[in-house]
Amino acid sequence: MPVLPGAEPFRHEGGEIGVLLCHGFTGCPQSLRPWAEFLAERGLTVSLPLLPGHGTRWQDLQLTGWQDWYAEVDREFRALSERCERVFVFGLSMGGALALRLAARHGNAVSGVVVVNPANKVHGLAAHALPAVRYLVRSTKGLADDIAKDTGTHELGYDRVPLHAAHSLRRFFQRVDSELPQVTQPLLLLRSPQDHVVPPADSARVLSRVSSTDVTETLLERSYHVATLDHDAERIFQDSYEFIGRLAPGAGAGTVAGEETKETASGG
């Protein structure tokens, strides 16, 4: 299936500091594109991949699982690591879980982690029924577009959640939760108190289980779940850039290294 207009991956060739951004479950790079562009404009090398099964139609996601999604960001991380001196991993929602797993598994190769409304668990009684129900019901209503802005903003995501994929997501969260103590890198966690997709308990769980000693928690009071497209988007962008600058002085290395940055984004 062709990729939906606006759902294309984004890549930008900048300096020696790299950032990998991971989008959420049933979403696509569109939800993080402004963030990626903000970082690219400041000379960073940026990769924002499209996860398998996403950005086309929900039936395609039904055929994939967490191993596929993680493999994609792992490949992108390794490619950035070959190109850049230091690499940071960022993520929204499930993308936050992907970023945390990269940090847990790659250790010092990850210089820092930024997560926005990170998901850690599939909640509710229905979650426990997923192993059986997924064979009887193909999908349920979608999760996209939880945004406080009431004009001009829309998240490009599926209107249905395929239950085979949801079951795989649940297993992935369980795996990541067990690996959180292996996360030791500096962590910036930004969360929306008014989030209708991921409850505050998920962020609290992440903060309680990581081994990081350099931890910052920021509340996004004016935004819902997709905060990267919401009222607090600019704060997320600026705080994350300052986070990089604090840990990697001279970030914006396209300028520092005397290189011209070159955009290699897909889809315009």
Side-chain angles (χ1 to χ4, degrees):
M1 290 294 294
V3 173
L4 295 170
E8 303 88 356
F10 175 88
R11 292 178 180 83
H12 179 89
E13 195 71 19
E16 295 300 320
I17 306 298
V19 182
L20 171 62
L21 296 101
C22 309
H23 70 74
F25 183 64
T26 75
C28 70
Q30 177 259 357
S31 62
L32 300 183
R33 180 75 177 249
W35 195 3
E37 291 176 342
F38 177 94
L39 298 169
E41 288 168 0
R42 283 150 182 79
L44 304 177
T45 292
V46 179
S47 175
L48 170 53
L50 174 64
L51 301 180
H54 293 75
T56 54
R57 57 177 191 163
W58 71 261
Q59 291 89 341
D60 295 330
L61 183 57
Q62 183 84 316
L63 304 176
T64 66
W66 74 261
Q67 296 91 340
D68 304 303
W69 315 325
Y70 180 75
E72 182 66 21
V73 297
D74 188 73
R75 279 192 295 269
E76 290 291 327
F77 176 80
R78 293 175 188 274
L80 275 177
S81 296
E82 292 177 0
R83 163 69 179 82
C84 299
E85 290 182 359
R86 303 186 69 175
V87 179
F88 293 79
V89 292
F90 293 4
L92 166 69
S93 194
M94 178 191 75
L98 291 168
L100 288 163
R101 186 163 205 250
L102 287 168
R105 293 180 66 83
H106 286 280
N108 291 335
V110 173
S111 292
V113 184
V114 178
V115 292
V116 178
N117 293 323
N120 179 258
K121 183 178 181 180
V122 176
H123 295 268
L125 294 175
H128 300 285
L130 274 174
V133 171
R134 63 195 172 109
Y135 294 107
L136 304 173
V137 179
R138 294 189 69 195
S139 68
T140 187
K141 65 178 181 179
L143 304 170
D145 238 12
D146 187 35
I147 298 172
K149 276 186 175 181
D150 55 7
T151 57
T153 305
H154 170 69
E155 181 190 15
L156 183 59
Y158 294 151
D159 61 0
R160 303 295 297 175
V161 175
L163 294 191
H164 277 298
H167 174 65
S168 184
L169 177 67
R170 180 172 181 254
R171 295 181 64 185
F172 176 60
F173 286 158
Q174 292 169 340
R175 182 176 294 262
V176 174
D177 188 69
S178 70
E179 296 174 341
L180 285 177
Q182 299 172 43
V183 176
T184 60
Q185 297 88 343
L187 171 65
L188 171 60
L189 186 150
L190 305 104
R191 68 174 181 88
S192 304
Q194 296 186 76
D195 185 331
H196 305 99
V197 177
V198 173
D202 285 33
S203 288
R205 177 75 175 177
V206 169
L207 292 172
S208 71
R209 288 187 58 76
V210 296
S211 298
S212 306
T213 55
D214 181 344
V215 176
T216 303
E217 180 184 16
T218 299
L219 298 184
L220 307 172
E221 300 283 1
R222 301 185 301 144
S223 301
Y224 293 167
H225 182 64
V226 192
T228 50
L229 297 178
D230 216 330
H231 294 294
D232 292 296
E234 289 297 327
R235 181 176 186 180
I236 294 169
F237 305 164
Q238 188 63 41
D239 284 5
S240 64
Y241 181 63
E242 292 176 0
F243 176 80
I244 292 173
R246 177 169 65 83
L247 297 170
T255 305
V256 171
E259 304 177 346
E260 288 189 13
T261 60
K262 179 179 69 174
E263 184 173 309
T264 57
S266 304

